[in-house]
Amino acid sequence: QVQLVESGGGLVQPGGSLRLSCAASGFTFSSYAMKWYRQAPGKERELVAAIAPASGRTTYADSVKGRFTISRDNAKNTVYLQMDSLKSEDTAVYYCNAVYFLTQYWGQGTQVTVSS
């Protein structure tokens, strides 16, 4: 019954933009920190961005700082990741994650491919 459904991935040229969305249901979205992770082939999963449950405080990996923006809409139970100035090294499967202490939920991921 708990669901995290990512959308918005696809193929984009270097320098382009994508906006990922993650729609949540089945839990109290506003109580959970929301995070975006990514995993490229042969690499470990890394935290890309996070946003706090209520304050909206955000954190970013150094590799995406200034290019990516995480946001949330608690009324819509949705978290977003705006990705600008994309690079080939951003190519990965992007996963939506919800966390409340020891409770975590994961989406199944959406593929982002930056060509060249």
Side-chain angles (χ1 to χ4, degrees):
Q1 199 161 347
V2 170
Q3 288 191 48
L4 292 174
V5 181
E6 300 98 335
S7 61
L11 176 65
V12 66
Q13 292 184 343
S17 297
L18 285 173
R19 190 193 193 199
L20 305 183
S21 298
C22 174
S25 60
F27 64 97
T28 306
F29 179 83
S30 60
S31 295
Y32 283 68
M34 298 300 299
K35 302 179 179 181
W36 287 97
Y37 287 80
R38 68 185 182 188
Q39 188 166 30
K43 296 184 178 180
E44 64 185 31
R45 187 171 297 185
E46 66 171 335
L47 177 64
V48 175
I51 186 165
S55 71
R57 182 174 178 84
T58 59
T59 59
Y60 298 92
D62 287 342
S63 59
V64 308
K65 196 170 297 181
R67 300 188 297 119
F68 290 11
T69 304
I70 188 171
S71 61
R72 68 190 295 161
D73 187 337
N74 285 344
K76 293 183 177 180
N77 288 359
T78 302
V79 63
Y80 306 94
L81 185 67
Q82 177 67 43
M83 304 184 294
D84 299 319
S85 301
L86 283 161
K87 306 174 181 179
S88 60
E89 52 261 46
D90 295 318
T91 296
V93 177
Y94 284 71
Y95 297 92
C96 179
N97 168 265
V99 60
Y100 176 72
F101 292 94
L102 296 179
T103 301
Q104 281 197 342
Y105 302 118
W106 291 88
Q108 290 195 333
T110 185
Q111 176 71 49
V112 172
T113 302
V114 185
S115 66
S116 186

